[in-house]
Amino acid sequence: MGSVKTLNMYFDSFGGNVFVANAIVSMLKRYKEDNNVIINAYVDSASASSSSFLMMVADNIYLYENSVVLIHKPMLGANGANADDLRDMIKSLDTMEDNIIIPLYMKHAKEGVTEQTIKDVMKKGDWLSAQETSEIFDVVILSESKQMVAQVEHNKDLINCLKPLPVDKESVVNIENVVDEELELANAKLRLALL
């Protein structure tokens, strides 16, 4: 990355694997320390699940008025698990929460916000508006709004287990009814926007 002194990250993510996000956090911290880089995080639309604690590695976090954030307790699947497996999974989940997720959230917690406050919000697992997020974390709300151009892939299992995203029903596009040409156009617009 050469002489880069500011790294801007843009989020529109429903999250993913805790350990992958934690590895990215470690790489960003290392790069930041080795190169004296300022990291900014921008939530263009949504930052959910593991991406919500990944963005906490940034020095500055910016949300738009229509951005949403989801923080929740870590989750694991349990198909075919017995009681001993489930107890081990509970221990693993508690370890992830206490040693990976909470310390990152606390980095940007507002004065007076405790670990227990954040754990209570995580337990509810609700989508937070930009304003609600700013009541818990030190973030800056930008006065403009950003629209998500397109989302071609998503993890249906993850999305189905999360609470519904608070959106204006008139702006929702049912991607299953989009014809190939419209999808190609949306993808082209997305690629242009990323240039």
Side-chain angles (χ1 to χ4, degrees), residues 20 45 49 52 56-57 60 82-83 90 95 116 152 169 192 195:
V20 171
S45 180
S49 198
S52 71
M56 298 294 169
V57 74
N60 306 296
N82 63 38
I90 291 168
T95 298
Q116 189 57 52
V152 178
K169 302 231 188 271
L192 286 172
L195 291 178

Side-chain angles (χ1 to χ4, degrees), residues 121-158:
V121 175
M122 290 173 66
K123 186 175 182 178
K124 289 180 185 176
D126 288 334
W127 288 94
L128 305 172
S129 67
Q131 182 59 43
E132 291 167 325
T133 303
S134 74
E135 293 167 8
I136 301 167
F137 300 109
D138 284 322
V139 300
V140 175
I141 300 176
L142 302 172
S143 61
E144 60 186 283
S145 293
K146 289 288 182 181
Q147 284 298 112
M148 181 171 67
V149 177
Q151 181 175 341
V152 178
E153 291 184 36
H154 61 273
N155 182 332
K156 287 183 181 178
D157 293 332
L158 175 63

Side-chain angles (χ1 to χ4, degrees), residues 89-144:
M89 286 181 189
I90 291 168
K91 184 178 179 203
S92 295
L93 291 167
D94 288 342
T95 298
M96 284 183 243
E97 183 175 320
D98 293 336
N99 296 295
I100 297 172
I101 300 168
I102 293 293
L104 286 164
Y105 285 145
M106 289 305 296
K107 179 179 182 260
H108 279 284
K110 285 199 127 161
E111 187 175 332
V113 172
T114 65
E115 286 186 14
Q116 189 57 52
T117 303
I118 293 175
K119 285 185 176 203
D120 291 344
V121 175
M122 290 173 66
K123 186 175 182 178
K124 289 180 185 176
D126 288 334
W127 288 94
L128 305 172
S129 67
Q131 182 59 43
E132 291 167 325
T133 303
S134 74
E135 293 167 8
I136 301 167
F137 300 109
D138 284 322
V139 300
V140 175
I141 300 176
L142 302 172
S143 61
E144 60 186 283

